[in-house]
Amino acid sequence: ADDGWNSLYWNNHDQPRVVSRFGDDSDEFRVTSAKTLGTVLHLLRGTPYVYQGEELGMTNAGYTDIEQYADIESVNFYRLATAAGLPVETVLGGLAVKSRDNARTPVQWTDGPNAGFSTGRPWLPVNANHDTINADAARADGDSVFHHYRRLIGLRHDLEVVREGRFELLLPDHEQVFVYTRTLGDQVALTVANMSSQPVELQRGELPDVSGAEVLIATHESPSVQELRPWESVVYLTRS
């Protein structure tokens, strides 16, 4: 903490989409898991990076045919793996999860042709879900992933404890929750996140008392540190 400064990121052009890799990109939990992944990253100490489309909750490409891929690494892996006898379905299944092309599909601006990215032919097929996941829809929805990211960035601009506070991990062995504090002077920002698609209950006394604390940002209404809904996260501001 005294000798360096972290670069914070979930995904980039060489990594699959975070909401598909570490979150839950189902219709039920895509939005909340994308928000929670954003929250736990942006409240850490360091500089967070937002990769294009992450702020929209864009998902992996969903390709089912090798002809849809352009990444040379993916194409060569397919050729070598199938030549070695691996079933085509198995190889395509692996690429659907980890191929670099998952993060290289055109940014989804609109629900129109080519997701509004280009009037020409994009270098990769546009994700089929652009009709519902796109910037136009996100800007129009005050509860979208996009506006959640705007609020997170606002916290970093407004609160020194979020920018500079000392980091401390709580409940390090818990299999579902990611909990940590950021402390600066007498201010403490407590981040509590359920990183799973199952609800979780925490025992009273496992976490600091948040009675009277200010809720800085939350994925759900009426948050509680004792009972967390799937992919629920909340950040409290208290004074020590």
Side-chain angles (χ1 to χ4, degrees):
D2 297 325
D3 299 320
W5 189 257
N6 285 327
S7 294
L8 309 170
Y9 69 94
W10 279 123
N11 40 201
N12 56 37
H13 67 287
D14 281 332
Q15 303 291 334
R17 292 284 176 182
V18 62
V19 73
S20 297
R21 185 178 189 181
F22 298 128
D24 183 336
D25 62 7
S26 67
D27 291 342
E28 184 175 8
F29 295 127
R30 181 188 65 85
V31 170
T32 49
S33 68
K35 287 180 178 180
T36 286
L37 288 162
T39 295
V40 298
L41 189 79
H42 282 248
L43 267 292
L44 289 171
R45 191 169 189 268
T47 300
Y49 289 77
V50 181
Y51 179 67
Q52 55 186 28
E54 178 185 341
E55 77 284 7
L56 306 178
M58 280 180 58
T59 69
N60 278 355
Y63 293 160
T64 57
D65 191 304
I66 191 59
E67 297 301 322
Q68 295 172 293
Y69 289 92
D71 174 33
I72 191 65
E73 180 182 73
S74 298
V75 173
N76 284 344
F77 172 76
Y78 177 88
R79 176 175 55 82
L80 293 171
T82 53
L86 283 176
V88 169
E89 295 78 8
T90 299
V91 180
L92 288 175
L95 292 177
V97 174
K98 287 290 188 71
S99 171
R100 299 188 297 190
D101 275 348
N102 283 305
R104 298 177 179 182
T105 58
V107 172
Q108 294 161 211
W109 295 103
T110 73
D111 62 0
N114 291 332
F117 180 81
S118 173
T119 56
R121 179 185 176 185
W123 69 90
L124 285 172
V126 173
N127 195 313
N129 61 21
H130 75 278
D131 57 338
T132 56
I133 304 174
N134 59 73
D136 274 358
R139 285 196 293 260
D141 178 5
D143 195 39
S144 67
V145 178
F146 173 75
H147 287 293
H148 189 80
Y149 266 69
R150 292 187 70 194
R151 289 187 281 272
L152 288 169
I153 293 169
L155 290 178
R156 297 189 66 92
H157 280 282
D158 296 341
L159 297 176
E160 190 177 3
V161 66
V162 178
R163 296 193 302 273
E164 304 287 347
R166 185 182 72 253
F167 170 87
E168 182 180 359
L169 181 65
L170 307 181
L171 305 184
D173 297 322
H174 201 290
E175 294 185 354
Q176 285 178 266
V177 298
F178 186 17
V179 186
Y180 60 88
T181 57
R182 303 285 308 286
T183 304
L184 185 68
D186 66 347
Q187 287 192 323
V188 180
L190 170 68
T191 298
V192 184
N194 180 2
M195 307 288 287
S196 77
S197 300
Q198 302 298 323
V200 61
E201 291 189 15
L202 297 173
Q203 299 302 312
R204 190 173 299 278
E206 286 188 280
L207 296 178
D209 182 15
V210 294
S211 301
E214 177 187 356
V215 174
L216 294 178
I217 194 167
T219 54
H220 296 65
E221 294 183 356
S222 304
S224 166
V225 292
Q226 264 70 59
E227 298 181 5
L228 295 169
R229 288 156 283 193
W231 291 105
E232 180 176 11
S233 59
V234 56
V235 181
Y236 297 94
L237 182 64
T238 66
R239 294 190 180 274
S240 58

